[in-house]
Amino acid sequence: MATEPSALQTLDGVENTPSFASLTVESGLVNLRATLDSHRLNPNPASVFAVHAAAHRLAAIVAAMPRRLRESQAAFEVLDTAKDLWTAGFVSTEPEAGDIENATNGLRHGWPGIVAAMFRTPCWAWANSPRLEEVPDWLWGHFMQWVLTPPVGAGPGVADKYVARITDYLWELAGWMERNRGSEAVRAAGNAFLDHASTPLLLQTTRDLKAYSTARGRLVAAIAYTRSGDSEPDALSRTGRPLRVGVIARDFADSADNRALLPVLRSFDPARVELVLFVENAGESQIENAFRQTASAFHEFPAQRAARLDLCARVACDVIVFAGDVARATDEFTGLALQRIAPLQAVLPSNPFTTGLPGVDLRLVGEATAEPSTERVALLPGSGLAFNADEAAELPPATRSEFGLADTGAIFVSAAHPDLLSAEILGAWSRLLCAVPGSSLVVILPESADPVLVGK
């Protein structure tokens, strides 16, 4: 990296005035913005080096800013440019040892040292990054943006480091949100979490996500201001009636998850299970009509959460199943999963990991993919996924020539979403193909796959 200027660290007199410091910072900002623009137009190793060098020069200038410039226009311009830097992917690689040392040493200079460190190193790579309570409250929003911005195209082990590091911050932020959710600083930090709550990097870690999910669930509940005891439905007598099971979905459109869910619901015995469906976004698709035919009642949710909860209370289900991902999403659907709607509440295998939500009691998951969970676990055969065998039987058989494959040799097939293709998985595939001479790998991608991720 380029040598960092140090002249500002000993300036005094007129050169240490706010006006001079602001001019010096502006010069560094112009340089970094220009290199970022050039990199975006033509990304290459040289442009990456130039951005890193410009960021380090600006970091040295920021570290020497007078502390009295806190909450100044110059300080916020620096923070906005830092956010541009992180968004452009410059939190994705391991920093040099000197960067970590400079970041740690700079903490004694107060907020300028903290902000300078945010240009030098990603949070996930810095074990001694300051706790939230050690950061000035006016910085909390930008600080948490830096903490939570996920690395892009991460190398082996990076996803694990990222998840481990942010888990500590989610625990801390959850405590602040529970104690003082009206604080502007706490709300800014919470908004930073919501910006990055669904990062695909969570699907690439090899870590047990129970600790992360527990911290996340506590934080989401605090943000939504969910209080235990707000609604506690009583268990109803089952004498002379079937079990009333409600399934809540964002939609019943044609999707992989819904195609897997439909045959499961069709297998229910109406004499034993009364099936009730609730949906946020209704449509007129063929598959939604098939869902309607499986149920004794079909309800479209009103817009307001209070009205939705009132509808659920009137229907009075014994069991509620959330047919959608609430482990990563932070939408109104997840908001319902935070509430106590039925005596027993469950989620399906469409949740890629445990939810951590206090309102979810049971997680249905395949026995082949079971992992530590915050909920009780109900094991399903194999992967826990169901497919419509009748529909599959109507499809013509696939052939080797259709995929451009040789007439002989083993074929490995994956239908994993690109979000799941971590460096560890790609490495395992490579070793597997090398170990089986003449073998081929067919990767079937969903239509919704991001073409940028596919290209990588």
Side-chain angles (χ1 to χ4, degrees):
M1 296 297 174
T3 302
E4 298 180 2
S6 57
L8 283 179
Q9 296 173 5
T10 56
L11 290 178
D12 55 20
V14 67
E15 293 182 337
N16 201 27
T17 62
S19 59
F20 180 83
S22 296
L23 288 173
T24 307
V25 168
E26 183 61 30
S27 175
L29 288 172
V30 169
N31 181 41
L32 178 54
R33 290 166 181 161
T35 55
L36 262 177
D37 289 343
S38 297
H39 170 74
R40 291 188 180 109
L41 291 172
N42 182 27
N44 57 71
S47 70
V48 172
F49 179 85
V51 171
H52 277 297
H56 279 63
R57 285 193 291 271
L58 180 57
I61 294 171
V62 170
M65 288 177 68
R67 295 192 188 190
R68 61 181 176 275
L69 287 183
R70 65 186 181 277
E71 300 184 78
S72 64
Q73 180 180 353
F76 285 116
E77 286 183 2
V78 166
L79 291 166
D80 288 341
T81 301
K83 187 175 180 180
D84 290 341
L85 184 72
W86 312 327
T87 303
F90 286 88
V91 289
S92 303
T93 56
E94 291 275 2
E96 297 180 0
D99 294 332
I100 298 292
E101 182 179 359
N102 284 334
T104 301
N105 291 338
L107 293 180
R108 63 177 180 268
H109 299 301
W111 75 262
I114 294 173
V115 175
M118 292 154 64
F119 282 92
R120 290 185 172 115
T121 179
C123 182
W124 58 262
W126 185 17
N128 295 320
S129 57
R131 296 181 58 189
L132 196 54
E133 67 177 10
E134 298 170 334
V135 177
D137 57 5
W138 64 273
L139 263 180
W140 277 25
H142 284 88
F143 181 81
M144 285 302 294
Q145 285 284 351
W146 168 71
V147 168
L148 296 170
T149 298
V152 179
V158 171
D160 289 353
K161 291 181 180 179
Y162 171 81
V163 171
R165 199 76 193 95
I166 68 172
T167 297
D168 294 338
Y169 284 100
L170 296 190
W171 276 116
E172 187 179 6
L173 179 56
W176 283 105
M177 189 66 69
E178 291 166 348
R179 293 190 298 272
N180 194 11
R181 66 189 310 272
S183 159
E184 182 177 348
V186 173
R187 292 200 311 273
N191 287 334
F193 160 73
L194 294 175
D195 287 344
H196 299 293
S198 300
T199 170
L201 205 65
L202 297 170
L203 304 178
Q204 299 180 11
T205 181
T206 63
R207 293 180 60 89
D208 170 5
L209 285 169
K210 185 175 180 180
Y212 163 82
S213 295
T214 303
R216 174 194 176 277
R218 179 184 171 195
L219 176 56
V220 169
I223 291 174
Y225 201 44
T226 303
R227 297 169 296 182
S228 60
D230 279 352
S231 57
E232 291 290 343
D234 296 326
L236 303 175
S237 171
R238 287 282 315 286
T239 303
R241 69 175 182 86
L243 184 73
R244 185 173 300 136
V245 176
V247 178
I248 298 178
R250 292 182 176 90
D251 60 62
F252 288 112
D254 191 2
S255 66
D257 286 339
N258 284 337
R259 287 195 299 273
L261 175 61
L262 182 58
V264 174
L265 300 187
R266 281 175 168 169
S267 69
F268 287 174
D269 180 358
R272 301 180 60 191
V273 175
E274 178 188 357
L275 184 62
V276 181
L277 301 184
F278 302 85
V279 66
E280 282 191 335
N281 303 300
E284 296 295 335
S285 67
Q286 182 177 354
I287 191 170
E288 180 172 304
N289 289 333
F291 273 104
R292 289 175 182 265
Q293 293 170 11
T294 67
S296 62
F298 190 97
H299 299 281
E300 297 181 26
F301 270 138
Q304 300 300 318
R305 183 183 301 180
R308 296 181 178 193
L309 293 174
D310 182 63
L311 172 60
C312 291
R314 293 198 307 272
V315 176
C317 293
D318 302 298
V319 180
I320 284 290
V321 178
F322 294 96
D325 184 358
V326 296
R328 293 188 300 157
T330 54
D331 56 5
E332 187 59 36
F333 182 83
T334 303
L336 279 177
L338 291 166
Q339 307 292 326
R340 176 55 63 179
I341 298 172
L344 179 65
Q345 302 187 163
V347 294
L348 297 174
S350 52
N351 289 268
F353 45 83
T354 183
T355 71
L357 302 182
V360 178
D361 309 299
L362 188 67
R363 181 185 178 203
L364 284 71
V365 63
E367 58 186 359
T369 57
E371 60 188 352
S373 300
T374 58
E375 313 88 359
R376 286 178 290 166
V377 172
L379 296 179
L380 303 172
S383 66
L385 300 176
F387 298 92
N388 191 330
D390 294 336
E391 182 180 295
E394 297 175 359
L395 298 175
T399 64
R400 287 175 175 263
S401 59
E402 180 182 350
F403 292 95
L405 301 174
D407 293 337
T408 60
I411 301 175
F412 299 101
V413 180
S414 171
H417 195 280
D419 290 348
L420 295 168
L421 303 185
S422 64
E424 288 82 359
I425 288 178
L426 294 177
W429 283 357
S430 178
R431 291 189 297 273
L432 185 61
L433 292 171
C434 290
V436 184
S439 61
S440 302
L441 171 65
V442 176
V443 180
I444 302 173
L445 298 173
E447 294 180 359
S448 60
D450 186 337
V452 175
L453 290 175
V454 172
K456 293 183 177 182

mmCIF file of all heavy atoms in Angstrom, residues 320-364:
data_model
loop_
_atom_site.group_PDB
_atom_site.id
_atom_site.type_symbol
_atom_site.label_atom_id
_atom_site.label_comp_id
_atom_site.label_asym_id
_atom_site.label_seq_id
_atom_site.Cartn_x
_atom_site.Cartn_y
_atom_site.Cartn_z
ATOM 1 N N ILE A 320 -50.125 -23.004 13.551
ATOM 2 C CA ILE A 320 -49.825 -22.094 12.438
ATOM 3 C C ILE A 320 -48.476 -22.495 11.841
ATOM 4 O O ILE A 320 -47.498 -22.699 12.572
ATOM 5 C CB ILE A 320 -49.773 -20.627 12.901
ATOM 6 C CG1 ILE A 320 -51.177 -20.083 13.120
ATOM 7 C CG2 ILE A 320 -49.030 -19.763 11.889
ATOM 8 C CD1 ILE A 320 -51.973 -19.875 11.848
ATOM 9 N N VAL A 321 -48.440 -22.611 10.525
ATOM 10 C CA VAL A 321 -47.203 -22.921 9.812
ATOM 11 C C VAL A 321 -46.866 -21.742 8.903
ATOM 12 O O VAL A 321 -47.707 -21.330 8.086
ATOM 13 C CB VAL A 321 -47.349 -24.206 8.971
ATOM 14 C CG1 VAL A 321 -46.054 -24.481 8.203
ATOM 15 C CG2 VAL A 321 -47.699 -25.393 9.856
ATOM 16 N N PHE A 322 -45.683 -21.190 9.052
ATOM 17 C CA PHE A 322 -45.232 -20.090 8.201
ATOM 18 C C PHE A 322 -44.519 -20.689 6.993
ATOM 19 O O PHE A 322 -43.433 -21.260 7.113
ATOM 20 C CB PHE A 322 -44.320 -19.146 8.977
ATOM 21 C CG PHE A 322 -45.031 -18.415 10.084
ATOM 22 C CD1 PHE A 322 -44.995 -18.889 11.382
ATOM 23 C CD2 PHE A 322 -45.769 -17.276 9.807
ATOM 24 C CE1 PHE A 322 -45.674 -18.234 12.403
ATOM 25 C CE2 PHE A 322 -46.456 -16.609 10.815
ATOM 26 C CZ PHE A 322 -46.400 -17.089 12.107
ATOM 27 N N ALA A 323 -45.148 -20.550 5.822
ATOM 28 C CA ALA A 323 -44.625 -21.158 4.598
ATOM 29 C C ALA A 323 -43.786 -20.134 3.850
ATOM 30 O O ALA A 323 -44.180 -19.584 2.823
ATOM 31 C CB ALA A 323 -45.772 -21.653 3.716
ATOM 32 N N GLY A 324 -42.634 -19.850 4.387
ATOM 33 C CA GLY A 324 -41.742 -18.870 3.777
ATOM 34 C C GLY A 324 -40.550 -18.643 4.683
ATOM 35 O O GLY A 324 -40.530 -19.056 5.850
ATOM 36 N N ASP A 325 -39.542 -17.977 4.152
ATOM 37 C CA ASP A 325 -38.301 -17.736 4.872
ATOM 38 C C ASP A 325 -38.481 -16.575 5.849
ATOM 39 O O ASP A 325 -38.697 -15.439 5.439
ATOM 40 C CB ASP A 325 -37.186 -17.426 3.867
ATOM 41 C CG ASP A 325 -35.817 -17.259 4.519
ATOM 42 O OD1 ASP A 325 -35.729 -17.345 5.751
ATOM 43 O OD2 ASP A 325 -34.836 -17.048 3.779
ATOM 44 N N VAL A 326 -38.411 -16.872 7.136
ATOM 45 C CA VAL A 326 -38.416 -15.820 8.156
ATOM 46 C C VAL A 326 -37.069 -15.757 8.868
ATOM 47 O O VAL A 326 -36.877 -14.926 9.758
ATOM 48 C CB VAL A 326 -39.546 -16.038 9.186
ATOM 49 C CG1 VAL A 326 -40.904 -15.928 8.514
ATOM 50 C CG2 VAL A 326 -39.408 -17.365 9.903
ATOM 51 N N ALA A 327 -36.140 -16.622 8.477
ATOM 52 C CA ALA A 327 -34.822 -16.640 9.105
ATOM 53 C C ALA A 327 -33.938 -15.507 8.606
ATOM 54 O O ALA A 327 -32.995 -15.105 9.279
ATOM 55 C CB ALA A 327 -34.119 -17.978 8.838
ATOM 56 N N ARG A 328 -34.263 -14.973 7.409
ATOM 57 C CA ARG A 328 -33.458 -13.883 6.856
ATOM 58 C C ARG A 328 -34.278 -12.621 6.593
ATOM 59 O O ARG A 328 -33.764 -11.518 6.730
ATOM 60 C CB ARG A 328 -32.793 -14.328 5.541
ATOM 61 C CG ARG A 328 -31.756 -15.414 5.710
ATOM 62 C CD ARG A 328 -31.014 -15.640 4.395
ATOM 63 N NE ARG A 328 -31.925 -16.057 3.327
ATOM 64 C CZ ARG A 328 -31.670 -15.895 2.033
ATOM 65 N NH1 ARG A 328 -30.559 -15.285 1.651
ATOM 66 N NH2 ARG A 328 -32.520 -16.328 1.120
ATOM 67 N N ALA A 329 -35.535 -12.772 6.202
ATOM 68 C CA ALA A 329 -36.340 -11.613 5.820
ATOM 69 C C ALA A 329 -36.755 -10.790 7.041
ATOM 70 O O ALA A 329 -36.854 -11.304 8.154
ATOM 71 C CB ALA A 329 -37.583 -12.081 5.061
ATOM 72 N N THR A 330 -36.991 -9.498 6.815
ATOM 73 C CA THR A 330 -37.446 -8.600 7.888
ATOM 74 C C THR A 330 -38.670 -7.826 7.430
ATOM 75 O O THR A 330 -38.838 -6.658 7.732
ATOM 76 C CB THR A 330 -36.328 -7.615 8.285
ATOM 77 O OG1 THR A 330 -35.877 -6.922 7.100
ATOM 78 C CG2 THR A 330 -35.165 -8.331 8.919
ATOM 79 N N ASP A 331 -39.573 -8.500 6.705
ATOM 80 C CA ASP A 331 -40.769 -7.858 6.182
ATOM 81 C C ASP A 331 -41.961 -8.095 7.108
ATOM 82 O O ASP A 331 -41.815 -8.629 8.215
ATOM 83 C CB ASP A 331 -41.059 -8.359 4.767
ATOM 84 C CG ASP A 331 -41.186 -9.886 4.703
ATOM 85 O OD1 ASP A 331 -41.138 -10.541 5.770
ATOM 86 O OD2 ASP A 331 -41.324 -10.424 3.592
ATOM 87 N N GLU A 332 -43.152 -7.718 6.630
ATOM 88 C CA GLU A 332 -44.355 -7.864 7.445
ATOM 89 C C GLU A 332 -44.682 -9.330 7.723
ATOM 90 O O GLU A 332 -45.255 -9.669 8.757
ATOM 91 C CB GLU A 332 -45.536 -7.182 6.744
ATOM 92 C CG GLU A 332 -46.807 -7.118 7.573
ATOM 93 C CD GLU A 332 -46.624 -6.369 8.883
ATOM 94 O OE1 GLU A 332 -45.862 -5.381 8.909
ATOM 95 O OE2 GLU A 332 -47.230 -6.781 9.889
ATOM 96 N N PHE A 333 -44.309 -10.203 6.788
ATOM 97 C CA PHE A 333 -44.507 -11.639 6.988
ATOM 98 C C PHE A 333 -43.728 -12.112 8.215
ATOM 99 O O PHE A 333 -44.244 -12.840 9.066
ATOM 100 C CB PHE A 333 -44.057 -12.381 5.729
ATOM 101 C CG PHE A 333 -44.249 -13.873 5.780
ATOM 102 C CD1 PHE A 333 -45.467 -14.448 5.475
ATOM 103 C CD2 PHE A 333 -43.195 -14.716 6.122
ATOM 104 C CE1 PHE A 333 -45.653 -15.824 5.509
ATOM 105 C CE2 PHE A 333 -43.357 -16.087 6.162
ATOM 106 C CZ PHE A 333 -44.584 -16.647 5.854
ATOM 107 N N THR A 334 -42.470 -11.683 8.319
ATOM 108 C CA THR A 334 -41.671 -12.013 9.493
ATOM 109 C C THR A 334 -42.263 -11.380 10.743
ATOM 110 O O THR A 334 -42.213 -11.966 11.833
ATOM 111 C CB THR A 334 -40.222 -11.557 9.298
ATOM 112 O OG1 THR A 334 -39.685 -12.166 8.122
ATOM 113 C CG2 THR A 334 -39.357 -11.932 10.489
ATOM 114 N N GLY A 335 -42.836 -10.188 10.583
ATOM 115 C CA GLY A 335 -43.481 -9.539 11.726
ATOM 116 C C GLY A 335 -44.583 -10.386 12.321
ATOM 117 O O GLY A 335 -44.749 -10.433 13.546
ATOM 118 N N LEU A 336 -45.333 -11.089 11.471
ATOM 119 C CA LEU A 336 -46.374 -11.987 11.984
ATOM 120 C C LEU A 336 -45.762 -13.156 12.748
ATOM 121 O O LEU A 336 -46.325 -13.621 13.742
ATOM 122 C CB LEU A 336 -47.219 -12.517 10.828
ATOM 123 C CG LEU A 336 -48.320 -11.606 10.294
ATOM 124 C CD1 LEU A 336 -49.002 -12.253 9.099
ATOM 125 C CD2 LEU A 336 -49.337 -11.273 11.373
ATOM 126 N N ALA A 337 -44.617 -13.652 12.261
ATOM 127 C CA ALA A 337 -43.962 -14.785 12.920
ATOM 128 C C ALA A 337 -43.432 -14.414 14.298
ATOM 129 O O ALA A 337 -43.093 -15.294 15.090
ATOM 130 C CB ALA A 337 -42.839 -15.328 12.042
ATOM 131 N N LEU A 338 -43.345 -13.120 14.585
ATOM 132 C CA LEU A 338 -42.929 -12.673 15.915
ATOM 133 C C LEU A 338 -44.077 -12.721 16.920
ATOM 134 O O LEU A 338 -43.853 -12.653 18.123
ATOM 135 C CB LEU A 338 -42.389 -11.239 15.834
ATOM 136 C CG LEU A 338 -41.066 -11.045 15.101
ATOM 137 C CD1 LEU A 338 -40.847 -9.567 14.804
ATOM 138 C CD2 LEU A 338 -39.912 -11.602 15.917
ATOM 139 N N GLN A 339 -45.300 -12.816 16.408
ATOM 140 C CA GLN A 339 -46.474 -12.789 17.269
ATOM 141 C C GLN A 339 -46.888 -14.208 17.668
ATOM 142 O O GLN A 339 -46.557 -15.182 16.998
ATOM 143 C CB GLN A 339 -47.642 -12.132 16.528
ATOM 144 C CG GLN A 339 -47.330 -10.770 15.941
ATOM 145 C CD GLN A 339 -47.115 -9.711 16.992
ATOM 146 O OE1 GLN A 339 -47.750 -9.738 18.047
ATOM 147 N NE2 GLN A 339 -46.240 -8.757 16.722
ATOM 148 N N ARG A 340 -47.618 -14.301 18.758
ATOM 149 C CA ARG A 340 -48.186 -15.583 19.182
ATOM 150 C C ARG A 340 -49.607 -15.657 18.628
ATOM 151 O O ARG A 340 -50.538 -15.089 19.166
ATOM 152 C CB ARG A 340 -48.175 -15.688 20.700
ATOM 153 C CG ARG A 340 -48.826 -16.942 21.260
ATOM 154 C CD ARG A 340 -48.241 -18.203 20.693
ATOM 155 N NE ARG A 340 -46.840 -18.384 21.018
ATOM 156 C CZ ARG A 340 -46.104 -19.428 20.641
ATOM 157 N NH1 ARG A 340 -46.662 -20.383 19.888
ATOM 158 N NH2 ARG A 340 -44.846 -19.519 20.951
ATOM 159 N N ILE A 341 -49.757 -16.367 17.505
ATOM 160 C CA ILE A 341 -51.038 -16.471 16.804
ATOM 161 C C ILE A 341 -51.765 -17.760 17.182
ATOM 162 O O ILE A 341 -52.994 -17.805 17.221
ATOM 163 C CB ILE A 341 -50.807 -16.410 15.282
ATOM 164 C CG1 ILE A 341 -50.175 -15.062 14.902
ATOM 165 C CG2 ILE A 341 -52.100 -16.608 14.507
ATOM 166 C CD1 ILE A 341 -49.745 -14.988 13.454
ATOM 167 N N ALA A 342 -51.010 -18.821 17.424
ATOM 168 C CA ALA A 342 -51.588 -20.128 17.743
ATOM 169 C C ALA A 342 -50.781 -20.774 18.863
ATOM 170 O O ALA A 342 -49.624 -20.396 19.102
ATOM 171 C CB ALA A 342 -51.591 -21.025 16.501
ATOM 172 N N PRO A 343 -51.360 -21.743 19.553
ATOM 173 C CA PRO A 343 -50.599 -22.416 20.619
ATOM 174 C C PRO A 343 -49.306 -23.056 20.129
ATOM 175 O O PRO A 343 -48.325 -23.126 20.869
ATOM 176 C CB PRO A 343 -51.588 -23.473 21.119
ATOM 177 C CG PRO A 343 -52.935 -22.913 20.805
ATOM 178 C CD PRO A 343 -52.769 -22.190 19.505
ATOM 179 N N LEU A 344 -49.293 -23.526 18.872
ATOM 180 C CA LEU A 344 -48.086 -24.112 18.301
ATOM 181 C C LEU A 344 -47.809 -23.445 16.962
ATOM 182 O O LEU A 344 -48.698 -23.363 16.107
ATOM 183 C CB LEU A 344 -48.240 -25.618 18.105
ATOM 184 C CG LEU A 344 -47.041 -26.346 17.475
ATOM 185 C CD1 LEU A 344 -45.834 -26.283 18.397
ATOM 186 C CD2 LEU A 344 -47.395 -27.793 17.148
ATOM 187 N N GLN A 345 -46.570 -22.954 16.769
ATOM 188 C CA GLN A 345 -46.200 -22.262 15.535
ATOM 189 C C GLN A 345 -44.927 -22.889 14.976
ATOM 190 O O GLN A 345 -43.970 -23.150 15.715
ATOM 191 C CB GLN A 345 -46.022 -20.768 15.789
ATOM 192 C CG GLN A 345 -47.284 -20.146 16.370
ATOM 193 C CD GLN A 345 -47.252 -18.637 16.501
ATOM 194 O OE1 GLN A 345 -48.295 -18.024 16.651
ATOM 195 N NE2 GLN A 345 -46.082 -18.009 16.455
ATOM 196 N N ALA A 346 -44.933 -23.112 13.645
ATOM 197 C CA ALA A 346 -43.849 -23.862 13.009
ATOM 198 C C ALA A 346 -43.396 -23.192 11.722
ATOM 199 O O ALA A 346 -44.125 -22.382 11.130
ATOM 200 C CB ALA A 346 -44.308 -25.298 12.719
ATOM 201 N N VAL A 347 -42.183 -23.552 11.287
ATOM 202 C CA VAL A 347 -41.660 -23.112 9.987
ATOM 203 C C VAL A 347 -41.239 -24.342 9.194
ATOM 204 O O VAL A 347 -40.988 -25.416 9.752
ATOM 205 C CB VAL A 347 -40.472 -22.149 10.138
ATOM 206 C CG1 VAL A 347 -40.910 -20.839 10.770
ATOM 207 C CG2 VAL A 347 -39.338 -22.784 10.942
ATOM 208 N N LEU A 348 -41.138 -24.157 7.879
ATOM 209 C CA LEU A 348 -40.845 -25.246 6.952
ATOM 210 C C LEU A 348 -39.372 -25.248 6.556
ATOM 211 O O LEU A 348 -38.628 -24.317 6.882
ATOM 212 C CB LEU A 348 -41.726 -25.097 5.713
ATOM 213 C CG LEU A 348 -43.232 -25.195 5.943
ATOM 214 C CD1 LEU A 348 -43.986 -24.874 4.655
ATOM 215 C CD2 LEU A 348 -43.603 -26.575 6.457
ATOM 216 N N PRO A 349 -38.931 -26.270 5.806
ATOM 217 C CA PRO A 349 -37.539 -26.320 5.357
ATOM 218 C C PRO A 349 -37.137 -25.180 4.430
ATOM 219 O O PRO A 349 -35.961 -25.048 4.095
ATOM 220 C CB PRO A 349 -37.457 -27.670 4.625
ATOM 221 C CG PRO A 349 -38.512 -28.508 5.247
ATOM 222 C CD PRO A 349 -39.627 -27.554 5.541
ATOM 223 N N SER A 350 -38.090 -24.348 3.999
ATOM 224 C CA SER A 350 -37.744 -23.188 3.184
ATOM 225 C C SER A 350 -36.897 -22.183 3.959
ATOM 226 O O SER A 350 -36.305 -21.273 3.360
ATOM 227 C CB SER A 350 -39.011 -22.502 2.662
ATOM 228 O OG SER A 350 -39.911 -22.233 3.714
ATOM 229 N N ASN A 351 -36.829 -22.334 5.272
ATOM 230 C CA ASN A 351 -35.913 -21.532 6.072
ATOM 231 C C ASN A 351 -34.539 -22.190 6.024
ATOM 232 O O ASN A 351 -34.391 -23.329 6.470
ATOM 233 C CB ASN A 351 -36.396 -21.432 7.514
ATOM 234 C CG ASN A 351 -37.620 -20.555 7.645
ATOM 235 O OD1 ASN A 351 -37.514 -19.355 7.885
ATOM 236 N ND2 ASN A 351 -38.793 -21.144 7.458
ATOM 237 N N PRO A 352 -33.528 -21.493 5.506
ATOM 238 C CA PRO A 352 -32.233 -22.142 5.299
ATOM 239 C C PRO A 352 -31.488 -22.457 6.596
ATOM 240 O O PRO A 352 -30.548 -23.252 6.589
ATOM 241 C CB PRO A 352 -31.460 -21.122 4.459
ATOM 242 C CG PRO A 352 -32.082 -19.804 4.794
ATOM 243 C CD PRO A 352 -33.527 -20.099 5.030
ATOM 244 N N PHE A 353 -31.879 -21.811 7.689
ATOM 245 C CA PHE A 353 -31.272 -22.111 8.991
ATOM 246 C C PHE A 353 -32.268 -21.715 10.068
ATOM 247 O O PHE A 353 -33.337 -21.167 9.778
ATOM 248 C CB PHE A 353 -29.929 -21.395 9.183
ATOM 249 C CG PHE A 353 -29.928 -19.944 8.774
ATOM 250 C CD1 PHE A 353 -30.389 -18.949 9.614
ATOM 251 C CD2 PHE A 353 -29.448 -19.578 7.518
ATOM 252 C CE1 PHE A 353 -30.388 -17.627 9.241
ATOM 253 C CE2 PHE A 353 -29.439 -18.248 7.126
ATOM 254 C CZ PHE A 353 -29.902 -17.268 7.981
ATOM 255 N N THR A 354 -31.934 -22.006 11.299
ATOM 256 C CA THR A 354 -32.845 -21.738 12.405
ATOM 257 C C THR A 354 -33.217 -20.264 12.460
ATOM 258 O O THR A 354 -32.423 -19.389 12.119
ATOM 259 C CB THR A 354 -32.204 -22.181 13.734
ATOM 260 O OG1 THR A 354 -33.128 -21.970 14.797
ATOM 261 C CG2 THR A 354 -30.924 -21.410 14.028
ATOM 262 N N THR A 355 -34.452 -19.975 12.891
ATOM 263 C CA THR A 355 -34.967 -18.609 12.812
ATOM 264 C C THR A 355 -34.529 -17.720 13.970
ATOM 265 O O THR A 355 -34.386 -16.515 13.804
ATOM 266 C CB THR A 355 -36.498 -18.616 12.763
ATOM 267 O OG1 THR A 355 -37.012 -19.015 14.057
ATOM 268 C CG2 THR A 355 -37.009 -19.567 11.690
ATOM 269 N N GLY A 356 -34.387 -18.293 15.152
ATOM 270 C CA GLY A 356 -34.075 -17.476 16.316
ATOM 271 C C GLY A 356 -35.241 -16.651 16.813
ATOM 272 O O GLY A 356 -35.084 -15.872 17.761
ATOM 273 N N LEU A 357 -36.406 -16.791 16.207
ATOM 274 C CA LEU A 357 -37.560 -15.969 16.587
ATOM 275 C C LEU A 357 -38.282 -16.577 17.784
ATOM 276 O O LEU A 357 -38.598 -17.769 17.784
ATOM 277 C CB LEU A 357 -38.526 -15.836 15.411
ATOM 278 C CG LEU A 357 -37.954 -15.222 14.127
ATOM 279 C CD1 LEU A 357 -39.047 -15.105 13.077
ATOM 280 C CD2 LEU A 357 -37.324 -13.871 14.400
ATOM 281 N N PRO A 358 -38.583 -15.785 18.787
ATOM 282 C CA PRO A 358 -39.227 -16.329 19.996
ATOM 283 C C PRO A 358 -40.629 -16.869 19.736
ATOM 284 O O PRO A 358 -41.130 -17.667 20.520
ATOM 285 C CB PRO A 358 -39.259 -15.132 20.949
ATOM 286 C CG PRO A 358 -39.122 -13.924 20.081
ATOM 287 C CD PRO A 358 -38.296 -14.344 18.925
ATOM 288 N N GLY A 359 -41.286 -16.450 18.635
ATOM 289 C CA GLY A 359 -42.626 -16.916 18.356
ATOM 290 C C GLY A 359 -42.698 -18.209 17.572
ATOM 291 O O GLY A 359 -43.801 -18.690 17.275
ATOM 292 N N VAL A 360 -41.565 -18.786 17.219
ATOM 293 C CA VAL A 360 -41.544 -20.038 16.450
ATOM 294 C C VAL A 360 -41.150 -21.182 17.371
ATOM 295 O O VAL A 360 -40.075 -21.165 17.971
ATOM 296 C CB VAL A 360 -40.569 -19.943 15.257
ATOM 297 C CG1 VAL A 360 -40.524 -21.268 14.502
ATOM 298 C CG2 VAL A 360 -40.986 -18.815 14.316
ATOM 299 N N ASP A 361 -42.022 -22.174 17.480
ATOM 300 C CA ASP A 361 -41.793 -23.287 18.400
ATOM 301 C C ASP A 361 -41.149 -24.492 17.740
ATOM 302 O O ASP A 361 -40.376 -25.213 18.375
ATOM 303 C CB ASP A 361 -43.136 -23.753 18.992
ATOM 304 C CG ASP A 361 -43.934 -22.616 19.570
ATOM 305 O OD1 ASP A 361 -43.436 -21.962 20.504
ATOM 306 O OD2 ASP A 361 -45.057 -22.370 19.083
ATOM 307 N N LEU A 362 -41.472 -24.731 16.475
ATOM 308 C CA LEU A 362 -41.113 -25.987 15.819
ATOM 309 C C LEU A 362 -40.536 -25.697 14.443
ATOM 310 O O LEU A 362 -41.068 -24.862 13.698
ATOM 311 C CB LEU A 362 -42.359 -26.870 15.686
ATOM 312 C CG LEU A 362 -42.166 -28.301 15.194
ATOM 313 C CD1 LEU A 362 -41.396 -29.132 16.214
ATOM 314 C CD2 LEU A 362 -43.539 -28.952 14.925
ATOM 315 N N ARG A 363 -39.477 -26.393 14.119
ATOM 316 C CA ARG A 363 -38.872 -26.268 12.794
ATOM 317 C C ARG A 363 -38.907 -27.627 12.108
ATOM 318 O O ARG A 363 -38.327 -28.593 12.610
ATOM 319 C CB ARG A 363 -37.430 -25.773 12.905
ATOM 320 C CG ARG A 363 -36.738 -25.593 11.551
ATOM 321 C CD ARG A 363 -35.289 -25.222 11.728
ATOM 322 N NE ARG A 363 -34.621 -25.107 10.438
ATOM 323 C CZ ARG A 363 -33.307 -25.234 10.256
ATOM 324 N NH1 ARG A 363 -32.520 -25.479 11.294
ATOM 325 N NH2 ARG A 363 -32.784 -25.121 9.047
ATOM 326 N N LEU A 364 -39.596 -27.692 10.979
ATOM 327 C CA LEU A 364 -39.602 -28.908 10.182
ATOM 328 C C LEU A 364 -38.373 -28.879 9.282
ATOM 329 O O LEU A 364 -38.158 -27.913 8.548
ATOM 330 C CB LEU A 364 -40.874 -29.008 9.329
ATOM 331 C CG LEU A 364 -42.161 -29.407 10.067
ATOM 332 C CD1 LEU A 364 -42.659 -28.295 10.961
ATOM 333 C CD2 LEU A 364 -43.241 -29.813 9.080
#
